């Protein structure tokens, strides 16, 4: 997961901030005089702008109370601003706005990173952890071109974010308002507010800065969010949309031909071929927790149900990933459930058509590794053995081996370099990153069929584009692995979008670049968005982001990092609120995946017995009806252009496939050579096993109402046909594995 924090939306109890009669009298008098309904710790001496801001917050949002965390004086706040990487002008006056003074930050030369230049100030009053605070600032571009900035509130020295937003700013003044609940206790000068401006040569003007601490008087959802967010490519007529639709038509669909004949090869005209899509080839799902499903100790029936019924219409996930259960520490320490229960949940999901990704084998930062690794960082031999033991145990564990077919083998190697630095300079490890090659080779040795992904957040997540150091460093490390003779199976682009909604064009350019460079498959592995993104905007962005990903030839899947508020690392599940009501983003995704990009159709065979269908690639139930009766049904995976041959045993059989007096008892799929018990109250004359292409493979002539036959030894789809004394023929599908 990405290492920046978004503010959380929790529930708080409203408290009375006035504690004696004298204060109440003062408050009433002040209300009558100012109509602002504020009690501010530093109200004495505040200038007109701050009184106006109080009135705005009260009249527009019904918010009162609070304490200034910066001086309630425009000149003093602006004079406290500091800057680096650019030129900060002195404070000047301004007319025609609610605020009266501004300062200008000018960057003449863009930096290597957005934080190469910045203008900031820090809190002058302490903040308690959990306090609900509000940020207010006015800003505009001082040139004709839009400015690009990161607006942020972060902890000094550790850079942990309370608010983070990448945005473009126009030439008109815009007021930015956003709430946050404090993740830490802050003393004075521990919380930094400001703008990172190193994106390009540009100038911005800033005024009307305020930070207000409301303590726990309101829940955070009472506060306004005005961040003027948008993203390049959001326009309804943006050119990328038609291009993406064309690519989706080309790469996500295939042509299917169904040829229907009688058992003697005669074409069947007028048969109805129905194709019902059951799942996409493209995977969609979420991070989940093993302890909430499969009868584990925190079983949650609603949570489990949503995995299989995401949209309330029976369409669900076809892939999931355990958020923590397979991580090294969690596995060894059994954080939530036993390893056996994790394996049980894995098999349980797989048996129900939901594949499980493994996350992750090695996350090479000391904070994500067992504590003994850091304690032995000077002993490469110990570290190597510890890694090999980890891989041996988890990749051969019953219920994991052969069931989980895809792993994040390495997680965030661009940002977490503790492990590589521990190896650097030792024999055979010039940079130390050679250990990554060893890890991949060992994993492949243990299971050659595994698809191994390298999972990162340094590109799409943070809006880094080609040319930025962290983006290029990611490519460098992947090239080192590739140059060591390792074929990279897949690249995971995490997708923690935070509040800085990325450009659709940047998404495509990044996917193009990595695909051209490495030729690897890719997935969005950890999608979510920040709590500062409004529901309507989140729905539009999520739909566009998913569309761009589905349209890219390298992309195989899209997973969110949690889907419900009640089990999300930021309590901000992108798809379901705490009461399980669907957020607009969930509906937007469902409308695309299970409607616009979903194939359910029926076609009547022509005189040659042919039905032609173009549909999305995926798993289908195919049903052939003839003479108003179901004559054939099967479930098949269709992932490329394909012709299917359907042989109807005869027209009589089509009328009687669902008779209750004909029963089979066998495991489905049936092991090869296993026993199928046939029971029929009408005494059968004989039974046939017929291959999918119509060949009779086995004939049994055995009188009596019950008999056993053996299944074929070659895996595949077969049909069991039983002929009764009266000439009727009954049939059932038989799948042998």
């Amino acid at each position: 997961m990405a290492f920046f924090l978004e503010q959380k939306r929790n529930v708080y109890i409203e408290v009375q901030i006035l504690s004696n009669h004298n204060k109440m009298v003062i408050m009433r008098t002040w209300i009558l005089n100012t109509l602002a309904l504020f009690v501010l710790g530093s109200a004495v001496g505040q200038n007109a702008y701050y009184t106006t801001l109080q009135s705005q917050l009260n009249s527009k949002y019904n918010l009162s109370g609070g304490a200034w965390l910066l001086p309630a004086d425009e000149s003093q706040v602006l004079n406290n601003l500091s800057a680096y990487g650019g030129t900060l002008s002195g404070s000047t006056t301004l007319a025609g706005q609610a605020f009266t003074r501004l300062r200008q930050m000018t960057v003449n030369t863009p930096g290597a990173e957005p934080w190469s230049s910045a203008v900031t100030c820090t809190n002058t009053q302490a903040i308690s952890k959990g306090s609900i605070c509000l940020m207010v600032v006015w800003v505009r571009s001082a040139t004709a071109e839009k400015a690009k900035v990161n607006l942020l509130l972060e902890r000094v020295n550790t850079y942990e974010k309370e608010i983070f937003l990448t945005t473009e700013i126009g030439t008109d003044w815009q007021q930015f308002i956003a709430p946050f609940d404090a993740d830490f206790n802050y003393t004075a000068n521990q919380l930094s507010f400001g703008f990172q401006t190193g994106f390009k040569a540009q100038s911005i003007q800033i005024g009307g800065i305020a930070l207000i601490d409301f303590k726990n008087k309101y829940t955070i959802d009472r506060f306004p969010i005005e961040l003027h967010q948008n993203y390049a490519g959001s326009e309804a007529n943006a050119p990328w949309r038609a291009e993406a639709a064309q690519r989706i038509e080309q790469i996500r669909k295939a042509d299917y031909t169904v040829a229907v004949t009688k058992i003697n090869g005669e074409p069947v005209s007028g048969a109805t071929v129905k194709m019902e899509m059951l799942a996409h080839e493209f995977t969609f799902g979420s991070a989940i927790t093993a302890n909430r499903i499969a009868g584990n100790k925190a079983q949650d029936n609603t949570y489990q149900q949503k995995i299989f019924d995401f949209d309330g219409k029976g369409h669900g996930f076809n892939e999931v990933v355990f958020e923590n259960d397979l991580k090294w520490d969690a596995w060894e320490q059994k954080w939530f459930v036993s390893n056996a229960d994790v394996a049980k949940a894995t098999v349980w999901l797989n048996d129900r058509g939901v594949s499980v990704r493994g996350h992750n084998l090695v996350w090479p930062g000391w904070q994500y590794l067992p504590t003994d690794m850091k304690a032995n960082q000077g002993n490469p031999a110990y570290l190597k053995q510890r890694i090999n033991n980890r891989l041996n145990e988890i990749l051969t564990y019953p219920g994991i081996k052969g069931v989980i077919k895809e792993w994040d083998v390495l997680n965030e190697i661009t940002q977490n370099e503790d492990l590589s630095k521990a190896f650097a300079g030792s024999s055979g490890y010039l940079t130390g990153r050679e250990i990554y090659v060893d890890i991949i080779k060992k994993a492949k040795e243990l299971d050659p069929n595994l698809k191994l992904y390298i999972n990162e957040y340094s590109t799409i997540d943070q809006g880094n584009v080609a040319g930025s150091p962290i983006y290029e460093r990611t490519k460098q490390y992947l090239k080192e692995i590739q140059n060591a003779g390792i074929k990279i199976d897949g690249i995971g682009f995490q997708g923690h979008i935070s509040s800085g909604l990325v450009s659709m064009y940047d998404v495509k350019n990044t996917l193009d670049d990595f695909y051209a460079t490495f030729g690897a498959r890719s997935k969005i592995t950890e999608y979510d968005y920040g709590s500062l993104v409004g529901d309507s905007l989140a729905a539009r962005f999520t739909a566009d982001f998913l569309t761009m990903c589905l349209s890219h030839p390298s992309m195989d899947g899209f997973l969110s990092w949690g889907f419900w508020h009640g089990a999300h690392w930021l309590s901000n599940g992108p798809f379901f609120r705490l009461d399980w009501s669907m957020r607009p983003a969930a509906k937007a995704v469902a409308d695309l995946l299970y409607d616009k990009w979903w194939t359910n159709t029926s076609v009547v065979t022509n005189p040659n017995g042919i039905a032609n269908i173009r549909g999305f690639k995926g798993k289908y139930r195919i049903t052939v009806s003839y003479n108003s009766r179901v004559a054939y049904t099967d479930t098949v995976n269709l992932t490329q252009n394909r012709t299917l041959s359907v042989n109807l045993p005869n027209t009589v059989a089509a009328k009687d496939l669902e008779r209750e007096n004909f029963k089979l008892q066998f495991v489905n799929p049936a092991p090869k050579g296993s026993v199928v018990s046939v029971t029929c109250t009408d005494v059968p004359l004989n039974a046939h096993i017929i291959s999918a292409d119509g060949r009779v493979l086995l004939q049994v002539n055995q009188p009596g109402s019950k008999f056993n036959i053996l299944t074929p030894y070659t895996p595949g789809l077969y049909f069991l046909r039983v002929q009764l004394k009266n000439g009727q023929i009954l049939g059932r599908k038989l799948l042998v594995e």
Side-chain angles (χ1 to χ4, degrees), residues 74-75 78 90-94 99-103 173 206-208:
E74 287 187 79
S75 295
L78 291 176
S91 174
T92 58
T93 58
L94 173 73
F99 57 99
T100 63
R101 305 193 69 82
L102 66 86
R103 293 187 76 176
W173 283 107
I206 306 165

Side-chain angles (χ1 to χ4, degrees), residues 490-501:
I491 300 171
F493 297 92
Q494 289 187 0
H496 295 291
I497 300 301
S498 183
S499 299
L501 303 182

Side-chain angles (χ1 to χ4, degrees), residues 396-629:
T396 62
Y397 195 89
I400 302 297
K401 181 177 175 61
V403 182
I404 294 181
K405 299 179 174 64
E406 178 178 300
W407 274 91
D408 289 330
V409 59
L410 297 166
N411 196 49
E412 300 175 359
I413 60 175
T414 307
Q415 297 80 12
N416 295 280
E417 304 197 69
D418 292 331
L419 190 62
S420 63
K421 288 177 180 177
F423 278 89
S426 61
S427 178
Y429 297 91
L430 179 63
T431 67
R433 292 187 293 277
E434 293 84 359
I435 188 60
Y436 302 149
V437 175
D438 291 349
I439 291 169
I440 295 172
K441 285 182 176 179
K442 181 65 176 178
K444 285 286 191 180
E445 174 189 317
L446 290 166
D447 190 344
N449 296 319
L450 283 180
K451 293 182 180 179
L452 300 179
Y453 271 61
I454 298 172
N455 197 43
E456 282 291 341
Y457 72 83
S458 55
T459 53
I460 290 174
D461 288 43
Q462 296 188 6
N464 295 310
V465 295
S468 68
I470 195 168
Y471 181 106
E472 297 301 332
R473 187 163 70 249
T474 301
K475 289 181 65 178
Q476 174 196 335
Y477 290 1
L478 294 181
K479 285 178 182 177
E480 291 173 355
I481 293 170
Q482 193 176 58
N483 292 341
I486 299 294
K487 180 183 181 297
I488 297 173
D489 295 327
I491 300 171
F493 297 92
Q494 289 187 0
H496 295 291
I497 300 301
S498 183
S499 299
L501 303 182
V502 297
S503 157
M504 290 298 109
Y505 303 103
D506 287 346
V507 172
K508 182 177 185 300
N509 290 339
T510 296
L511 296 178
D512 284 347
D513 185 18
F514 277 78
Y515 192 36
T517 304
F518 302 104
R521 308 307 301 167
S522 61
K523 288 184 178 181
I524 299 299
T525 54
E526 302 184 22
Y527 176 73
D528 53 18
Y529 50 85
S531 57
L532 292 179
V533 181
D535 272 348
S536 177
L537 179 61
R540 288 193 293 113
F541 177 83
T542 303
D544 284 350
F545 188 39
L546 177 60
T547 301
M548 181 60 80
C549 292
L550 188 83
S551 76
H552 199 273
S554 73
M555 270 279 160
D556 288 337
F558 189 104
L559 287 91
S560 62
W561 201 246
F563 60 101
W564 173 50
H565 279 5
H568 186 265
W569 67 301
L570 296 176
S571 302
N572 188 51
F575 298 132
F576 291 96
R577 301 181 183 93
L578 192 61
D579 64 359
W580 286 108
S581 58
M582 289 180 75
R583 300 184 72 179
K587 186 178 187 309
V589 167
D591 287 347
L592 290 174
L593 280 175
Y594 307 128
D595 187 2
K596 183 177 180 180
W597 299 332
W598 196 256
T599 302
N600 274 347
T601 188
S602 295
V603 177
V604 176
T605 56
N606 63 22
N608 296 318
I610 300 297
N612 292 309
I613 297 166
R614 182 166 178 80
F616 285 94
K617 298 176 182 178
K619 184 178 181 180
Y620 283 86
R621 179 188 298 113
I622 298 178
T623 304
V624 179
S625 299
Y626 190 63
N627 289 340
S628 302
R629 297 283 184 173

Side-chain angles (χ1 to χ4, degrees), residues 688-699 712 714 717-719:
H688 295 159
I689 289 183
I690 303 172
S691 67
D693 59 5
R695 293 178 293 117
V696 177
L697 302 179
L698 178 66
Q699 181 170 334
T714 302
L717 178 67
Y718 300 88
F719 299 93

